[in-house]
Amino acid sequence: MSVRRLIVLIVFCFLLFLGIYTWNARTGKWDALGANVGLEVSSLVLRAVTFVHDTISEAWNRYIYLVDVEAENEVLKKEIADLKLSVAKFSESSHELQRMRRLLHFKNPASWQSIGARVFAWQLGSNDFLESLVISKGFNNGAKVATPLITPDGLVGRVYKAGPFTAIALLLTDPGSSIAVFTSENRVPAIVQGAGINEYLNVSFVKQNVTVSVGEILITSGVDLSYPKGIPVGRVVSVEHGADAMLKIKAEPLVSFENVEEVLLLQNPYEEILPQGSPVYSPRESQFLIPTDKTLEVPEPQPEMDLSNTLEQIDLLNQDILTSPNIIEGNEGNEGIDGDDIPEEQALLHRQNVPNITGLSLVLHAIALPLPTKIKVSLS
Amino acid sequence: MRVQNILWWFSFTFIAITLQSYVAGVDFLIPGFIVLLQERSIKQFLWVTGIFLILQEGMGTMAFGSVLLWYFSAVALFILGKWLFEVQSLAFILLLSIALSATRYAILVLFANLQDLYINESRLFDYSVYQALLMPFLWNIASFTRRGIRHEVEV
């Protein structure tokens, strides 16, 4: 092959690549093919490997490695007795809570059903550079894009990419993950953003004149309808006064990600009224910075959706959530929730769409819902 | 012995995906891709490359493009290296591994910027070093186990 032909071939291939890249950026068809075929085929391999691994480790643990089983049995019996006591205690508290709700005419929040899933792998593949894990459920059985993942310790992340029966979830430690939270004791709203694995989480948008204590638990606020209210996210480890008007807060995740083997997928009861394609990943350019006097270009509404009706429903649900108790039972966030817990600034923003820079950026990054019109943002 | 060839590629892909689930950030399919290039069977190349591309694109979290561009750069570097080296030699594979890892680093940084993704560049550098170190070793094993089958393919 002559040099001239080779150059022509390379240029042709490059143009072809650009064409396919642009086509995929507009339609997402290649990505969908990859998720539906590539991810599924890979998961077949992982399922087979997991099955063999489980069989061998089960045989080893059950029939061969029986050291300390008797001592462990005694400890477990004692733990069961303690847990029975706790259940009895919390059962009474739960009944009391139900009675109080009825008395106060609180609506019960829509329940988030949970589905269990197995973790297959971490950062599978050479093309995976986000903090992610592969789970054994896909969009056909409970792991649609944006479905939250939890463990008994707290929040893990959200589904980022879903095949029919396998999905990839983005961990909350990824820098592209942003979550709207409250502090559990002082009810201070904030955004938690990942900073990478083995790094503390960044807690942003906390004004200097509020109180946040070291050791406080951060819980999901639920204002974005993407997470149920009250899931523990992290524990505050440091609070410093920054150069700007905000506190510099670091938090540690409650979940030990290296040891996660199973997760629960929470099924969003608001899914039908939420616009489709709610982004899970917050791109770098939009991180908490909205320039003054800049018109935000936001996607046009989907033609098949009645957005006016949808936004009304979201507004109503927001108000429900803002005034409803925590749905995660046994969580500290259940206590003492009433209308006063919601900062007036945020409540106003939800109810009247007042262009407030702090609240707006909080909501844009936490909710990440495509709004139906252009929004003029200005600092006054 | 087509069945033997298909079985070999099936086993290779199975093992590569399993290894990828244990070692993050390393492409275990690329040594097989180099073997494909060395064998010069167009039909086999198209089939297996298509499968590799769909698998890697599906397993990854980046949008389409980076894997295809990297595999394309592997072809370009292979053709370029063929003028200067004997393609079956270990020296060629060593240099190709280093060049491919450097190309991969550049492609991923470019695509992370294009797609507005955060990317930990020091970790990406580590992954590229692992890739460069592991590739000759994996190619050697793949090439060794294909000796009998390669003859059949070439005939």
Side-chain angles (χ1 to χ4, degrees), chain B residues 49-70:
Chain B
T49 304
I51 292 168
F52 281 7
L53 284 174
I54 290 177
L55 283 173
Q56 289 292 23
E57 291 282 2
M59 283 186 274
T61 45
M62 295 183 93
F64 162 82
S66 60
V67 177
L68 183 61
L69 199 59
W70 191 45

Side-chain angles (χ1 to χ4, degrees), chain B residues 58-125:
Chain B
M59 283 186 274
T61 45
M62 295 183 93
F64 162 82
S66 60
V67 177
L68 183 61
L69 199 59
W70 191 45
Y71 277 52
F72 178 76
S73 68
V75 177
L77 285 168
F78 185 86
I79 293 169
L80 197 70
K82 210 168 68 170
W83 291 342
L84 303 169
F85 297 94
E86 166 56 46
V87 293
Q88 299 287 347
S89 70
L90 189 64
F92 171 70
I93 295 298
L94 282 170
L95 286 172
L96 186 65
S97 303
I98 295 165
L100 269 178
S101 298
T103 314
R104 181 167 175 250
Y105 180 88
I107 288 171
L108 287 168
V109 169
L110 171 75
F111 271 76
N113 280 305
L114 278 176
Q115 293 167 28
D116 222 1
L117 299 173
Y118 292 92
I119 195 157
N120 186 332
E121 288 189 19
S122 66
R123 194 199 290 180
L124 178 59
F125 180 79

Side-chain angles (χ1 to χ4, degrees), chain A residues 158 172 174-180 191-194 224 227 280 282 287-288 365-366:
Chain A
R158 289 168 85 187
L172 64 93
D174 188 277
S177 162
S178 298
I179 302 159
I191 297 287
V192 166
Q193 193 195 8
D224 51 1
Y227 299 95
V280 173
S282 306
Q287 284 301 308
F288 312 125
H365 288 86

Side-chain angles (χ1 to χ4, degrees), chain A residues 215-235:
Chain A
E216 254 189 287
I217 300 292
L218 303 169
I219 55 170
T220 51
S221 64
V223 291
D224 51 1
L225 303 182
S226 300
Y227 299 95
K229 190 175 181 179
I231 299 178
V233 177
R235 183 185 292 105

Side-chain angles (χ1 to χ4, degrees), chain A residues 9 27 55 61 91 93 117 125 166 189 215 261 333-334 359 377:
Chain A
L9 185 67
T27 62
T55 309
N61 290 329
S91 170
S93 301
T166 314
E261 289 180 27
N334 272 334
V377 181

Side-chain angles (χ1 to χ4, degrees), chain A residues 186-208:
Chain A
N186 298 305
R187 319 304 292 175
V188 176
I191 297 287
V192 166
Q193 193 195 8
I197 202 83
N198 301 327
E199 299 286 339
Y200 287 134
L201 305 166
N202 292 319
V203 185
S204 311
F205 288 100
V206 182
K207 290 176 185 168
Q208 297 223 14

